[in-house]
Amino acid sequence: GHKYFLLPDDPAMLARSEAVEKLCFSVMNSMVYLINKICFAPNNTSPEGSDFDPEYARSRFLAKFEQFAGKVEELVAGPFIMGDTLPIHADYLLYACLADIKNFAPQAIREGSKLSDFMHKFWSYRSPIRRWFKSNDSKEGEYIRPSVPHIMELLPED
């Protein structure tokens, strides 16, 4: 991680990035739970006879997302987690998490919010850290985000 500037050297910043990781893991678990249990549960029959209700799942998720957004915005020094520096591993994780959330509930991330600004800055920032995603190191280990789609498919080419 240090070879590609993925991990911060400062213990306080490392703790901040770990806090962002935990929040991302928690909110993604909530989203997956709601999708699986509310939308696709075979024993969850609504009075209307429809088992699939994505709007109900989205509305339940948005309440949880508001809590997540507030906590994460406190940790993003701006524009990235460590401030106006190179993005670190947790910035990539946060971007991937927010991209999934935006696909599930587009209204969750309001234009002009700190998270929206983070996504715009991350999308356009030409960081040397992207080398890691193109290396074999990125294909080893376990990550919160599945390998497909690979994050490089979500980012423009250098």
Side-chain angles (χ1 to χ4, degrees):
H2 292 287
K3 177 180 174 183
Y4 295 99
F5 308 105
L6 290 174
L7 296 172
D9 294 326
D10 181 339
M13 287 297 156
L14 185 58
R16 178 182 285 194
S17 69
E18 288 173 352
V20 170
E21 284 182 61
K22 289 176 186 174
L23 288 168
C24 287
F25 184 76
S26 176
V27 78
M28 293 307 289
N29 275 346
S30 294
M31 186 173 76
V32 169
Y33 172 82
L34 287 168
I35 291 169
N36 289 335
K37 296 297 180 188
I38 294 174
C39 292
F40 299 112
N43 59 352
N44 184 21
T45 305
S46 67
E48 297 85 31
S50 170
D51 292 331
F52 182 74
D53 191 355
E55 291 308 316
Y56 179 67
R58 282 185 189 103
S59 68
R60 294 265 314 266
F61 174 75
L62 287 172
K64 293 194 177 283
F65 177 78
E66 288 301 319
Q67 297 170 3
F68 163 81
K71 291 175 184 175
V72 169
E73 285 182 347
E74 289 176 14
L75 295 171
V76 175
F80 301 119
I81 293 168
M82 290 181 33
D84 196 10
T85 66
L86 293 173
I88 58 172
H89 74 288
D91 290 300
Y92 281 85
L93 178 64
L94 178 58
Y95 181 84
C97 176
L98 293 174
D100 285 347
I101 290 168
K102 197 169 185 173
N103 283 332
F104 176 61
Q107 69 275 36
I109 302 168
R110 290 182 300 280
E111 194 63 35
S113 70
K114 199 169 188 179
L115 293 181
S116 174
D117 293 346
F118 166 85
M119 289 188 79
H120 292 302
K121 178 72 174 183
F122 189 90
W123 177 262
S124 61
Y125 196 77
R126 300 288 182 215
S127 167
I129 299 171
R130 292 180 189 217
R131 291 185 313 230
W132 181 81
F133 285 104
K134 294 178 181 176
S135 75
N136 287 331
D137 292 343
S138 72
K139 296 166 184 65
E140 300 170 4
E142 295 185 23
Y143 305 99
I144 293 173
R145 180 170 178 76
S147 57
V148 176
H150 193 276
I151 191 168
M152 290 309 291
E153 294 173 20
L154 302 174
L155 298 171
E157 288 295 317
D158 291 333

